[in-house]
Amino acid sequence: MPFLEIEFPLEARDAEAVEAALLAAGAASISFFDRGDEPILEPRPGEVRLWSDTLVRALFDGTSDTDAWLCRLSALLGPELTESATLRHIADRAWEREWLRDWKALRFGPRLWVCPTSAAAPADPNAIVVRLDPGLAFGTGTHPTTALCLEALAKLELHGKSVLDFGCGSGILAIAALKLGAAHACCADIDPQALTATRQNAHANDVAARLETLDAQQPLPTAGCVLANILAGPLIEAHERLAAACTSGGDLLLSGILVAQQETVLAAYRASFDIVGVAQREDWCCVHGRRRPYGGGC
Ligand SMILES: C[S@@+](CC[C@H](N)C(=O)[O-])C[C@H]1O[C@@H](n2cnc3c(N)ncnc32)[C@H](O)[C@@H]1O
């Protein structure tokens, strides 16, 4: 279906009123974007936070009566809105296939690959392949925070170990760990959709029998390798639970930490972990820690 896109700055308007007006005028989709450079990194579950300079973009059926819905929008939101708006025709495309153009196989370390389900297997006969498509939850390997964890995971000795993936999203880290030789993985998240996506991806990768999912608020099992890519704030909040979950001498990978937040996160984890290394990609870093023996002091 062809679309007509309307774009305008939100300015002082109320976002919910704008959304309601666009829907009443027949918009098929509405998105809000940052017009500046103001990342929103740690919204609370269910919290919708917008930027101080927000751009609104809505799509209308390209065959609909443009004058009629523009007139309706002007009536609902004021005539100055349509004066500051830009319109753009968007030709019909196979939208459900569009993401495939940018979604390519990615390699982490010498052998670990994350490949779209439709892509050919890598030529390397020793490749370890996680099959995954973008879906219900975060985690395809394209984001620096996930990429840092996958690169670190590829270097760990995981054979026979149990893994806790705290903030599992798509389950990408746990699935990669299982394919790299881990015996069992427990995947925890506060978002039920993430747990569903993780189970689906585990099935698609033939590791479902070795993976279980858990509401992250439930007591955590112990594991020899603990992974958590969830941003600095929740990482600091969870430090005692993750320290209790990691077995003595076990590995800890923490990601989702902006370089500027690294010291605060390290300060919380140094009480229980020796810091083995910190890797950085773009503005993000990933901490590798090793659990100090219980009762071994600081
Ligand atoms: C950045 S995604 C990481 C997904 C995946 N592990 C990866 O590395 O790509 C963070 C995930 O953590 C979950 N999350 C956020 N806060 C959490 C918390 N306090 N406890 C557990 N999970 C949390 C989110 O729902 C989301 O699925």
Side-chain angles (χ1 to χ4, degrees), residues 101-160:
R101 291 194 314 165
D102 302 320
W103 176 223
K104 309 243 168 6
L106 301 167
R107 182 164 60 86
F108 303 92
R111 292 170 61 202
L112 177 63
W113 288 80
V114 178
C115 295
T117 49
S118 60
D124 177 3
N126 296 316
I128 293 169
V129 183
V130 174
R131 292 284 180 181
L132 204 117
D133 292 328
L136 281 177
F138 185 105
T140 57
T142 53
H143 196 269
T145 58
T146 313
L148 283 165
C149 286
L150 290 168
E151 271 160 12
L153 261 183
K155 290 184 198 150
L156 291 184
E157 176 46 64
L158 290 165
H159 275 274

Short mmCIF file of all heavy atoms in Angstrom, two decimals, residues 101-160:
data_model
loop_
_atom_site.label_atom_id
_atom_site.label_comp_id
_atom_site.label_asym_id
_atom_site.label_seq_id
_atom_site.Cartn_x
_atom_site.Cartn_y
_atom_site.Cartn_z
N ARG A 101 16.91 -5.98 4.23
CA ARG A 101 17.96 -5.27 3.48
C ARG A 101 19.15 -4.93 4.38
O ARG A 101 20.29 -4.90 3.97
CB ARG A 101 17.40 -3.97 2.88
CG ARG A 101 16.41 -4.26 1.77
CD ARG A 101 16.14 -3.03 0.97
NE ARG A 101 15.90 -1.87 1.82
CZ ARG A 101 15.93 -0.64 1.38
NH1 ARG A 101 16.20 -0.39 0.14
NH2 ARG A 101 15.67 0.36 2.20
N ASP A 102 18.86 -4.61 5.65
CA ASP A 102 19.94 -4.19 6.57
C ASP A 102 20.33 -5.27 7.56
O ASP A 102 21.18 -5.04 8.40
CB ASP A 102 19.49 -2.95 7.36
CG ASP A 102 19.13 -1.83 6.44
OD1 ASP A 102 19.84 -1.65 5.44
OD2 ASP A 102 18.12 -1.17 6.69
N TRP A 103 19.67 -6.41 7.51
CA TRP A 103 19.89 -7.44 8.51
C TRP A 103 20.76 -8.53 7.90
O TRP A 103 20.33 -9.33 7.10
CB TRP A 103 18.53 -7.95 8.99
CG TRP A 103 18.52 -9.09 9.96
CD1 TRP A 103 17.69 -10.17 9.92
CD2 TRP A 103 19.34 -9.27 11.12
NE1 TRP A 103 17.96 -10.99 10.96
CE2 TRP A 103 18.97 -10.48 11.72
CE3 TRP A 103 20.37 -8.51 11.69
CZ2 TRP A 103 19.60 -10.95 12.86
CZ3 TRP A 103 20.99 -9.00 12.83
CH2 TRP A 103 20.59 -10.19 13.40
N LYS A 104 22.04 -8.52 8.29
CA LYS A 104 23.02 -9.41 7.66
C LYS A 104 23.68 -10.28 8.74
O LYS A 104 23.60 -9.96 9.93
CB LYS A 104 24.12 -8.57 7.00
CG LYS A 104 23.61 -7.47 6.08
CD LYS A 104 24.06 -7.71 4.67
CE LYS A 104 23.42 -6.88 3.60
NZ LYS A 104 22.53 -5.84 3.86
N ALA A 105 24.33 -11.35 8.30
CA ALA A 105 25.05 -12.21 9.26
C ALA A 105 26.19 -11.41 9.91
O ALA A 105 26.86 -10.62 9.25
CB ALA A 105 25.61 -13.43 8.53
N LEU A 106 26.38 -11.62 11.21
CA LEU A 106 27.42 -10.90 11.96
C LEU A 106 28.30 -11.93 12.65
O LEU A 106 27.81 -12.92 13.17
CB LEU A 106 26.79 -10.00 13.02
CG LEU A 106 25.82 -8.92 12.54
CD1 LEU A 106 25.04 -8.34 13.72
CD2 LEU A 106 26.60 -7.82 11.84
N ARG A 107 29.62 -11.65 12.70
CA ARG A 107 30.53 -12.59 13.37
C ARG A 107 31.08 -11.94 14.65
O ARG A 107 31.39 -10.75 14.67
CB ARG A 107 31.70 -12.94 12.43
CG ARG A 107 32.66 -13.95 13.03
CD ARG A 107 33.55 -14.56 11.96
NE ARG A 107 34.37 -13.57 11.27
CZ ARG A 107 35.55 -13.13 11.68
NH1 ARG A 107 36.09 -13.59 12.78
NH2 ARG A 107 36.21 -12.23 10.98
N PHE A 108 31.20 -12.74 15.69
CA PHE A 108 31.74 -12.27 16.97
C PHE A 108 32.86 -13.22 17.38
O PHE A 108 32.60 -14.42 17.56
CB PHE A 108 30.64 -12.24 18.04
CG PHE A 108 29.48 -11.37 17.61
CD1 PHE A 108 28.40 -11.92 16.94
CD2 PHE A 108 29.51 -10.00 17.82
CE1 PHE A 108 27.35 -11.12 16.51
CE2 PHE A 108 28.47 -9.20 17.39
CZ PHE A 108 27.38 -9.75 16.73
N GLY A 109 34.06 -12.71 17.47
CA GLY A 109 35.20 -13.61 17.73
C GLY A 109 35.43 -14.46 16.49
O GLY A 109 34.85 -14.22 15.43
N PRO A 110 36.26 -15.49 16.62
CA PRO A 110 36.64 -16.25 15.42
C PRO A 110 35.53 -17.12 14.84
O PRO A 110 35.50 -17.34 13.63
CB PRO A 110 37.83 -17.11 15.90
CG PRO A 110 37.78 -17.09 17.38
CD PRO A 110 37.03 -15.88 17.81
N ARG A 111 34.59 -17.62 15.67
CA ARG A 111 33.66 -18.64 15.15
C ARG A 111 32.19 -18.38 15.39
O ARG A 111 31.33 -19.05 14.81
CB ARG A 111 33.98 -19.98 15.82
CG ARG A 111 35.31 -20.57 15.44
CD ARG A 111 35.64 -21.76 16.33
NE ARG A 111 34.65 -22.82 16.21
CZ ARG A 111 34.43 -23.76 17.13
NH1 ARG A 111 35.12 -23.76 18.24
NH2 ARG A 111 33.52 -24.69 16.94
N LEU A 112 31.86 -17.47 16.27
CA LEU A 112 30.45 -17.28 16.62
C LEU A 112 29.77 -16.33 15.63
O LEU A 112 30.25 -15.21 15.40
CB LEU A 112 30.35 -16.70 18.04
CG LEU A 112 28.94 -16.37 18.54
CD1 LEU A 112 28.07 -17.62 18.63
CD2 LEU A 112 29.01 -15.68 19.90
N TRP A 113 28.67 -16.80 15.04
CA TRP A 113 27.91 -15.99 14.07
C TRP A 113 26.48 -15.84 14.54
O TRP A 113 25.91 -16.77 15.12
CB TRP A 113 27.87 -16.69 12.71
CG TRP A 113 29.16 -16.69 11.97
CD1 TRP A 113 30.22 -17.53 12.17
CD2 TRP A 113 29.53 -15.81 10.90
NE1 TRP A 113 31.23 -17.22 11.29
CE2 TRP A 113 30.83 -16.18 10.49
CE3 TRP A 113 28.89 -14.76 10.23
CZ2 TRP A 113 31.50 -15.53 9.46
CZ3 TRP A 113 29.54 -14.11 9.21
CH2 TRP A 113 30.84 -14.48 8.83
N VAL A 114 25.89 -14.68 14.26
CA VAL A 114 24.44 -14.50 14.39
C VAL A 114 23.94 -14.24 12.98
O VAL A 114 24.36 -13.28 12.33
CB VAL A 114 24.08 -13.34 15.34
CG1 VAL A 114 22.57 -13.17 15.41
CG2 VAL A 114 24.65 -13.59 16.73
N CYS A 115 23.06 -15.13 12.51
CA CYS A 115 22.62 -15.06 11.10
C CYS A 115 21.11 -14.96 11.01
O CYS A 115 20.40 -15.62 11.77
CB CYS A 115 23.01 -16.34 10.36
SG CYS A 115 24.76 -16.58 10.21
N PRO A 116 20.61 -14.18 10.05
CA PRO A 116 19.16 -14.18 9.79
C PRO A 116 18.72 -15.61 9.43
O PRO A 116 19.50 -16.37 8.86
CB PRO A 116 19.01 -13.27 8.56
CG PRO A 116 20.28 -12.50 8.47
CD PRO A 116 21.34 -13.29 9.14
N THR A 117 17.49 -15.95 9.78
CA THR A 117 17.05 -17.33 9.53
C THR A 117 17.10 -17.67 8.05
O THR A 117 17.30 -18.82 7.68
CB THR A 117 15.62 -17.58 10.06
OG1 THR A 117 14.80 -16.52 9.58
CG2 THR A 117 15.57 -17.60 11.55
N SER A 118 16.93 -16.66 7.18
CA SER A 118 16.87 -16.94 5.74
C SER A 118 18.26 -16.94 5.08
O SER A 118 18.38 -17.32 3.92
CB SER A 118 16.00 -15.89 5.06
OG SER A 118 16.58 -14.63 5.28
N ALA A 119 19.31 -16.54 5.81
CA ALA A 119 20.64 -16.41 5.18
C ALA A 119 21.33 -17.77 5.08
O ALA A 119 21.08 -18.67 5.87
CB ALA A 119 21.51 -15.46 6.01
N ALA A 120 22.20 -17.89 4.08
CA ALA A 120 23.00 -19.11 3.94
C ALA A 120 23.95 -19.21 5.13
O ALA A 120 24.34 -18.19 5.71
CB ALA A 120 23.80 -19.04 2.65
N ALA A 121 24.31 -20.45 5.48
CA ALA A 121 25.26 -20.65 6.60
C ALA A 121 26.62 -20.09 6.20
O ALA A 121 26.98 -20.10 5.02
CB ALA A 121 25.37 -22.12 6.91
N PRO A 122 27.41 -19.59 7.18
CA PRO A 122 28.76 -19.10 6.85
C PRO A 122 29.60 -20.22 6.25
O PRO A 122 29.39 -21.40 6.55
CB PRO A 122 29.32 -18.69 8.22
CG PRO A 122 28.16 -18.57 9.12
CD PRO A 122 27.08 -19.44 8.60
N ALA A 123 30.55 -19.84 5.41
CA ALA A 123 31.36 -20.84 4.70
C ALA A 123 32.23 -21.67 5.66
O ALA A 123 32.52 -22.83 5.40
CB ALA A 123 32.23 -20.13 3.67
N ASP A 124 32.63 -21.08 6.78
CA ASP A 124 33.50 -21.77 7.74
C ASP A 124 32.79 -23.00 8.33
O ASP A 124 31.77 -22.87 9.01
CB ASP A 124 33.85 -20.77 8.87
CG ASP A 124 34.70 -21.42 9.96
OD1 ASP A 124 35.05 -22.61 9.82
OD2 ASP A 124 34.98 -20.73 10.95
N PRO A 125 33.32 -24.23 8.10
CA PRO A 125 32.65 -25.43 8.63
C PRO A 125 32.65 -25.47 10.16
O PRO A 125 31.86 -26.19 10.77
CB PRO A 125 33.47 -26.59 8.04
CG PRO A 125 34.78 -25.98 7.66
CD PRO A 125 34.55 -24.53 7.37
N ASN A 126 33.53 -24.70 10.81
CA ASN A 126 33.57 -24.67 12.28
C ASN A 126 32.73 -23.55 12.88
O ASN A 126 32.79 -23.33 14.10
CB ASN A 126 35.02 -24.50 12.75
CG ASN A 126 35.87 -25.68 12.35
OD1 ASN A 126 35.43 -26.83 12.49
ND2 ASN A 126 37.05 -25.42 11.81
N ALA A 127 31.99 -22.87 12.02
CA ALA A 127 31.20 -21.74 12.53
C ALA A 127 30.15 -22.23 13.54
O ALA A 127 29.57 -23.30 13.35
CB ALA A 127 30.52 -21.03 11.37
N ILE A 128 29.95 -21.44 14.56
CA ILE A 128 28.88 -21.71 15.54
C ILE A 128 27.81 -20.67 15.24
O ILE A 128 28.07 -19.46 15.35
CB ILE A 128 29.41 -21.57 16.97
CG1 ILE A 128 30.43 -22.68 17.22
CG2 ILE A 128 28.30 -21.59 17.99
CD1 ILE A 128 31.23 -22.51 18.47
N VAL A 129 26.63 -21.14 14.83
CA VAL A 129 25.65 -20.21 14.27
C VAL A 129 24.40 -20.10 15.14
O VAL A 129 23.75 -21.10 15.44
CB VAL A 129 25.23 -20.67 12.84
CG1 VAL A 129 24.27 -19.66 12.21
CG2 VAL A 129 26.46 -20.84 11.97
N VAL A 130 24.10 -18.87 15.51
CA VAL A 130 22.81 -18.57 16.16
C VAL A 130 21.91 -18.00 15.07
O VAL A 130 22.30 -17.05 14.39
CB VAL A 130 22.98 -17.53 17.30
CG1 VAL A 130 21.63 -17.13 17.87
CG2 VAL A 130 23.89 -18.07 18.39
N ARG A 131 20.75 -18.60 14.89
CA ARG A 131 19.78 -18.12 13.88
C ARG A 131 18.78 -17.21 14.58
O ARG A 131 18.12 -17.62 15.54
CB ARG A 131 19.04 -19.30 13.26
CG ARG A 131 19.91 -20.19 12.42
CD ARG A 131 20.18 -19.54 11.10
NE ARG A 131 21.02 -20.35 10.24
CZ ARG A 131 21.40 -19.96 9.03
NH1 ARG A 131 21.02 -18.79 8.55
NH2 ARG A 131 22.16 -20.73 8.30
N LEU A 132 18.66 -15.99 14.10
CA LEU A 132 17.78 -15.05 14.79
C LEU A 132 17.32 -13.94 13.85
O LEU A 132 18.12 -13.45 13.05
CB LEU A 132 18.58 -14.43 15.93
CG LEU A 132 17.80 -13.90 17.10
CD1 LEU A 132 18.17 -14.69 18.33
CD2 LEU A 132 18.18 -12.46 17.33
N ASP A 133 16.06 -13.56 13.95
CA ASP A 133 15.54 -12.39 13.22
C ASP A 133 15.05 -11.36 14.23
O ASP A 133 14.63 -11.74 15.33
CB ASP A 133 14.37 -12.81 12.32
CG ASP A 133 14.83 -13.71 11.18
OD1 ASP A 133 15.97 -13.54 10.72
OD2 ASP A 133 14.05 -14.57 10.75
N PRO A 134 15.05 -10.09 13.85
CA PRO A 134 14.50 -9.09 14.78
C PRO A 134 13.05 -9.46 15.09
O PRO A 134 12.33 -9.94 14.21
CB PRO A 134 14.56 -7.78 13.97
CG PRO A 134 15.56 -8.04 12.89
CD PRO A 134 15.51 -9.50 12.58
N GLY A 135 12.64 -9.29 16.33
CA GLY A 135 11.27 -9.71 16.70
C GLY A 135 10.75 -8.94 17.88
O GLY A 135 10.95 -7.73 17.99
N LEU A 136 10.12 -9.68 18.78
CA LEU A 136 9.40 -9.09 19.91
C LEU A 136 10.30 -8.39 20.92
O LEU A 136 9.83 -7.57 21.68
CB LEU A 136 8.70 -10.22 20.68
CG LEU A 136 7.40 -10.79 20.16
CD1 LEU A 136 6.96 -11.93 21.06
CD2 LEU A 136 6.34 -9.70 20.14
N ALA A 137 11.57 -8.75 20.97
CA ALA A 137 12.41 -8.26 22.07
C ALA A 137 13.78 -7.83 21.56
O ALA A 137 14.24 -8.26 20.51
CB ALA A 137 12.57 -9.37 23.11
N PHE A 138 14.44 -7.00 22.37
CA PHE A 138 15.77 -6.45 22.05
C PHE A 138 16.79 -7.58 21.98
O PHE A 138 16.79 -8.50 22.79
CB PHE A 138 16.15 -5.48 23.17
CG PHE A 138 17.42 -4.73 22.95
CD1 PHE A 138 17.40 -3.38 22.60
CD2 PHE A 138 18.65 -5.35 23.11
CE1 PHE A 138 18.58 -2.68 22.42
CE2 PHE A 138 19.83 -4.65 22.92
CZ PHE A 138 19.80 -3.31 22.58
N GLY A 139 17.71 -7.45 21.00
CA GLY A 139 18.84 -8.37 20.98
C GLY A 139 19.00 -9.10 19.66
O GLY A 139 18.53 -10.22 19.49
N THR A 140 19.70 -8.46 18.72
CA THR A 140 20.02 -9.11 17.44
C THR A 140 21.52 -9.18 17.21
O THR A 140 21.95 -9.81 16.26
CB THR A 140 19.42 -8.33 16.26
OG1 THR A 140 19.93 -7.00 16.31
CG2 THR A 140 17.91 -8.32 16.29
N GLY A 141 22.28 -8.47 18.05
CA GLY A 141 23.72 -8.43 17.86
C GLY A 141 24.18 -7.15 17.19
O GLY A 141 25.37 -6.87 17.14
N THR A 142 23.24 -6.36 16.66
CA THR A 142 23.65 -5.14 15.97
C THR A 142 23.98 -4.01 16.97
O THR A 142 24.75 -3.13 16.65
CB THR A 142 22.55 -4.64 15.01
OG1 THR A 142 21.35 -4.53 15.75
CG2 THR A 142 22.35 -5.59 13.85
N HIS A 143 23.39 -4.05 18.16
CA HIS A 143 23.65 -2.98 19.12
C HIS A 143 24.99 -3.21 19.81
O HIS A 143 25.33 -4.36 20.16
CB HIS A 143 22.52 -2.91 20.16
CG HIS A 143 22.53 -1.63 20.92
ND1 HIS A 143 23.23 -1.49 22.10
CD2 HIS A 143 21.99 -0.43 20.65
CE1 HIS A 143 23.08 -0.24 22.54
NE2 HIS A 143 22.33 0.42 21.67
N PRO A 144 25.79 -2.14 20.02
CA PRO A 144 27.11 -2.33 20.64
C PRO A 144 27.07 -3.08 21.96
O PRO A 144 27.99 -3.85 22.27
CB PRO A 144 27.62 -0.90 20.86
CG PRO A 144 26.82 -0.04 19.96
CD PRO A 144 25.53 -0.74 19.68
N THR A 145 26.01 -2.90 22.76
CA THR A 145 25.99 -3.56 24.09
C THR A 145 25.89 -5.08 23.94
O THR A 145 26.53 -5.83 24.69
CB THR A 145 24.81 -3.05 24.94
OG1 THR A 145 23.59 -3.31 24.23
CG2 THR A 145 24.91 -1.57 25.22
N THR A 146 25.08 -5.53 22.97
CA THR A 146 24.96 -6.98 22.73
C THR A 146 26.24 -7.50 22.08
O THR A 146 26.75 -8.57 22.44
CB THR A 146 23.76 -7.26 21.81
OG1 THR A 146 22.63 -6.54 22.27
CG2 THR A 146 23.44 -8.74 21.75
N ALA A 147 26.75 -6.73 21.11
CA ALA A 147 27.96 -7.15 20.40
C ALA A 147 29.12 -7.33 21.38
O ALA A 147 29.88 -8.31 21.29
CB ALA A 147 28.31 -6.11 19.33
N LEU A 148 29.25 -6.42 22.34
CA LEU A 148 30.34 -6.53 23.33
C LEU A 148 30.20 -7.82 24.14
O LEU A 148 31.19 -8.52 24.40
CB LEU A 148 30.31 -5.32 24.27
CG LEU A 148 30.88 -4.02 23.71
CD1 LEU A 148 30.46 -2.83 24.58
CD2 LEU A 148 32.40 -4.08 23.63
N CYS A 149 28.95 -8.16 24.52
CA CYS A 149 28.74 -9.39 25.30
C CYS A 149 29.06 -10.61 24.45
O CYS A 149 29.67 -11.57 24.94
CB CYS A 149 27.28 -9.49 25.74
SG CYS A 149 26.86 -8.37 27.05
N LEU A 150 28.64 -10.61 23.19
CA LEU A 150 28.88 -11.78 22.33
C LEU A 150 30.38 -11.97 22.11
O LEU A 150 30.87 -13.11 22.13
CB LEU A 150 28.14 -11.62 20.99
CG LEU A 150 26.61 -11.71 21.10
CD1 LEU A 150 25.95 -11.25 19.80
CD2 LEU A 150 26.16 -13.13 21.44
N GLU A 151 31.09 -10.86 21.93
CA GLU A 151 32.55 -10.98 21.75
C GLU A 151 33.21 -11.53 23.02
O GLU A 151 34.10 -12.39 22.95
CB GLU A 151 33.15 -9.62 21.39
CG GLU A 151 33.13 -9.43 19.89
CD GLU A 151 33.24 -7.98 19.47
OE1 GLU A 151 33.56 -7.11 20.31
OE2 GLU A 151 32.99 -7.73 18.27
N ALA A 152 32.75 -11.07 24.17
CA ALA A 152 33.32 -11.55 25.43
C ALA A 152 32.94 -13.02 25.65
O ALA A 152 33.78 -13.83 26.07
CB ALA A 152 32.82 -10.69 26.58
N LEU A 153 31.69 -13.37 25.34
CA LEU A 153 31.23 -14.76 25.51
C LEU A 153 32.07 -15.73 24.68
O LEU A 153 32.42 -16.82 25.12
CB LEU A 153 29.79 -14.89 25.02
CG LEU A 153 28.65 -14.86 26.02
CD1 LEU A 153 27.33 -15.08 25.29
CD2 LEU A 153 28.84 -15.91 27.10
N ALA A 154 32.38 -15.29 23.44
CA ALA A 154 33.12 -16.14 22.51
C ALA A 154 34.51 -16.48 23.06
O ALA A 154 35.12 -17.46 22.63
CB ALA A 154 33.23 -15.46 21.15
N LYS A 155 34.99 -15.68 24.02
CA LYS A 155 36.33 -15.93 24.59
C LYS A 155 36.27 -16.78 25.87
O LYS A 155 37.31 -17.21 26.36
CB LYS A 155 36.99 -14.59 24.96
CG LYS A 155 37.39 -13.77 23.74
CD LYS A 155 38.12 -12.51 24.21
CE LYS A 155 38.14 -11.49 23.11
NZ LYS A 155 38.15 -10.11 23.60
N LEU A 156 35.07 -16.96 26.42
CA LEU A 156 34.98 -17.68 27.71
C LEU A 156 35.00 -19.19 27.52
O LEU A 156 34.59 -19.70 26.48
CB LEU A 156 33.68 -17.31 28.42
CG LEU A 156 33.53 -15.89 28.96
CD1 LEU A 156 32.20 -15.78 29.71
CD2 LEU A 156 34.69 -15.52 29.89
N GLU A 157 35.44 -19.90 28.55
CA GLU A 157 35.34 -21.37 28.56
C GLU A 157 33.98 -21.70 29.19
O GLU A 157 33.79 -21.51 30.39
CB GLU A 157 36.51 -21.94 29.39
CG GLU A 157 36.46 -23.43 29.56
CD GLU A 157 36.18 -24.19 28.28
OE1 GLU A 157 37.00 -24.13 27.36
OE2 GLU A 157 35.12 -24.84 28.17
N LEU A 158 33.06 -22.16 28.35
CA LEU A 158 31.69 -22.34 28.83
C LEU A 158 31.28 -23.81 28.95
O LEU A 158 30.18 -24.11 29.44
CB LEU A 158 30.71 -21.64 27.87
CG LEU A 158 30.77 -20.11 27.90
CD1 LEU A 158 30.06 -19.52 26.69
CD2 LEU A 158 30.14 -19.58 29.18
N HIS A 159 32.14 -24.71 28.52
CA HIS A 159 31.74 -26.13 28.44
C HIS A 159 31.21 -26.64 29.76
O HIS A 159 31.86 -26.52 30.80
CB HIS A 159 32.90 -27.00 27.94
CG HIS A 159 32.91 -26.97 26.44
ND1 HIS A 159 32.15 -27.83 25.67
CD2 HIS A 159 33.51 -26.13 25.58
CE1 HIS A 159 32.32 -27.53 24.41
NE2 HIS A 159 33.14 -26.50 24.31
N GLY A 160 29.98 -27.17 29.71
CA GLY A 160 29.36 -27.79 30.87
C GLY A 160 28.84 -26.81 31.91
O GLY A 160 28.29 -27.21 32.93
#
